[in-house]
Amino acid sequence: MQSTACAVTMLRDDLFFLEIWLRHYGGMLGRENCYIVAHGRDPRVLEMAGGCNIVGIPGDHHKNFDMKRWRLLNNLVMGLNAYYGHVIVGDVDELVVIDPEAGMTLLDWLEEAPQRRVYTPLGLEVLHLPEEEPEAIAERVLGPRRHVRLAPHYSKPCIVSVGTKIARGGHYTQFDKLFTPEALYLFHLKYADVAAYSAVMDRRNAVTEAVGVDSHKDAAIGRHWFAEARGEDRAVFDAFAAMSRAEGFDMRPARKAMQRSWQPRGSTGFWEFDRPEDDRLFRLPDRFAGAL
């Protein structure tokens, strides 16, 4: 059992993404180094995640669940940091990938990476273009899906080897230095498949309805969980296909912009960088096929 790195996530019903998460982290780190907090101890999760460390919690819907979720994750990360060199933490549809150009696995990279740091991979959102990419996601995501957009919101400080507090949503920490290695990316898969997207949104809308609140502020969760903010699902993906196409795949300017804008997040104790919108569609280089 290796002690270089482990991966931590929490989920409710997201079996499509759990399968991908397990294949990626379970195959690379070993399932014995994967920690899953499961709402309600869904028997399907227990079966799929056999060999992982599963923490079951009550599955009842309740207010402020995202705040409570990150309180639990913060403490779990802090405890695991006593046993592992690095702890990778994030939502089940967010996965850290090393650029194949580095010639090593993520675990290899972490074995050599200095500790007592927080690493922030560059966020890329995988976008499904159904007319150009009819192949279903099966054994791999990248290959059947080849297009991404820059997603500063998902450039998350998610590899932790120092005692620090992570903000709700995982977007900020109280660690005051920014490390953004060129080889690391965080791929967000919310839009990686049109059918999976619709299924996830159905479940999220059901959660907010069950909680019985009128505002995302009352539930301490994102506005996008509410049915009135949803819109037409297929229109979302049609808009991706209409985006302007970027030339090449040079992500150095994005990382430099993160460094230039690094600053305290007001008086909260957290640190942040600017998160400008980028409406360009990038095609991943062929080397990424099969990396996830």
Side-chain angles (χ1 to χ4, degrees), residues 136-195:
I137 291 176
E139 294 301 315
R140 58 180 187 166
V141 176
L142 304 182
R145 303 293 177 263
R146 301 179 297 275
H147 296 88
V148 298
R149 67 179 172 191
L150 277 165
H153 194 64
Y154 290 96
S155 293
K156 290 188 174 183
C158 61
I159 304 177
V160 181
S161 60
V162 66
T164 189
K165 183 178 179 181
I166 306 170
R168 176 172 59 88
H171 299 287
Y172 317 103
T173 74
Q174 293 184 342
F175 190 67
D176 61 359
K177 295 180 177 61
L178 178 62
F179 294 97
T180 58
E182 287 193 10
L184 297 188
Y185 296 91
L186 188 149
F187 284 93
H188 182 224
L189 304 183
K190 177 180 178 179
Y191 300 107
D193 185 83
V194 61

Side-chain angles (χ1 to χ4, degrees), residues 63-67 168 213 215-222:
K63 296 180 180 180
N64 298 319
F65 65 85
D66 205 32
M67 187 180 300
R168 176 172 59 88
V213 294
S215 167
H216 68 286
K217 294 180 181 178
D218 295 331
I221 54 176

Side-chain angles (χ1 to χ4, degrees), residues 92-111:
V92 72
D93 63 352
E94 301 166 358
L95 296 107
V96 179
V97 173
I98 191 165
D99 191 327
E101 196 170 54
M104 64 179 73
T105 68
L106 177 59
L107 182 59
D108 293 335
W109 190 90
L110 290 171
E111 286 175 350

Side-chain angles (χ1 to χ4, degrees), residues 11-20 42 44-45 48 203:
L11 76 151
R12 180 199 298 271
D13 301 327
D14 290 325
L15 304 185
F16 175 83
F17 296 115
L18 177 61
E19 183 177 359
I20 298 168
D42 187 330
R44 297 170 298 173
V45 172
M48 288 177 63
R203 291 194 297 272

